Amino acid sequence: MRLVLIGFMGAGKSTVGSLLASQLGLKFIELDQIVIERSQCHSIAELVDSRGEAEFRTIEAQAARECSHVTDAVISTGGGIIGRQENFTSLVTEGSTIVFLRTSFETVCSRIGSGAERPLFRDKAKAKALFDERQVTYEKWASISVDTDGISIDEVAANILQELKKS
Ligand code: S3P
C-alpha cells in the first residue's frame, strides 16, 4: 500500500501523513525532507532563496522519482508537486492512491501565519492566486479528496481510511 498526500501549504499533509502511517504500520516519507537532504541546505526557504525556485523544483522532481519504487509508505508532498506532470508519473506507481487534503484559503492562512519558512507564502496575494490556480489540478490528480476545515487531525485520518475502504 502506498498513499500520497497532496494539497496546498498548511493543508496538514505532514501531520495527517505521519498519523496515518503509524495507524497503518507504514513508513512515513516527507518529500520536502528528501529535497532538503539532497540540496544540502538547512531548509526549503534557504534552498529557494539561495538557488532559486527552478532549482528547487528540479530537486523536488528528482526526490519524487527516487520515491517511485517505495511501497508500504505514506508520502507527504510539498504543495507545488503538481506543477510538473512528470511528478504524477513518479507518484502514481502501482498500488498508489493519491489523497487530496482540501482546505480553504482562510484556514491555510490561519495555520501558516507569517509564512517566513515558506517562500511561496510570503506574499499573500500571490499565495492566493497560486491557491486558486492549483485547486483543479489537486482534484484531477487525486482519487480521494477529503475536507480538513474545522475538523481534527484524527477526524481527517479517519475520513481518509473510510474513503479508502470504499475505493
Ligand atoms: C510549496 C510548499 C511547501 C514547500 C515549498 C513550496 C508550494 O511545502 O515544498 O515551500 O509551492 O506550495 P508544504 O506544502 O509542505 O508547505
Side-chain angles (χ1 to χ4, degrees), residues 12 18 27 37 53 74 91 97 119-120 131 137-138 142 147 155:
S18 67
K27 295 184 280 277
E37 282 161 25
E53 189 186 344
V74 178
L91 296 174
T97 304
L120 279 87
F131 176 90
T137 315
Y138 289 136
D147 287 306
E155 285 170 311

Side-chain angles (χ1 to χ4, degrees), residues 2 4-5 8 51 62 74 90 106 121 124 128 130 134 138-139 145 150-151 161 164:
R2 178 177 144 106
V4 179
L5 304 188
F8 204 68
R51 286 150 64 181
Q62 279 163 6
V74 178
S90 301
E106 290 66 33
F121 206 85
K124 215 158 168 189
K128 174 70 168 80
L130 210 52
R134 287 179 178 173
Y138 289 136
E139 296 280 1
S145 298
I151 58 172
L161 293 178
L164 277 171

Side-chain angles (χ1 to χ4, degrees), residues 9 13 32 44 56-57 60 77-80 118-120 134:
M9 295 170 255
K13 301 175 296 269
D32 270 354
I44 299 287
F56 160 57
R57 296 299 176 200
E60 184 180 50
T77 62
R118 287 176 165 96
L120 279 87
R134 287 179 178 173

Side-chain angles (χ1 to χ4, degrees), residues 143-161:
S143 47
I144 291 177
S145 298
V146 293
D147 287 306
T148 73
D149 278 0
I151 58 172
S152 70
I153 299 297
D154 292 279
E155 285 170 311
V156 176
N159 291 346
I160 293 172
L161 293 178

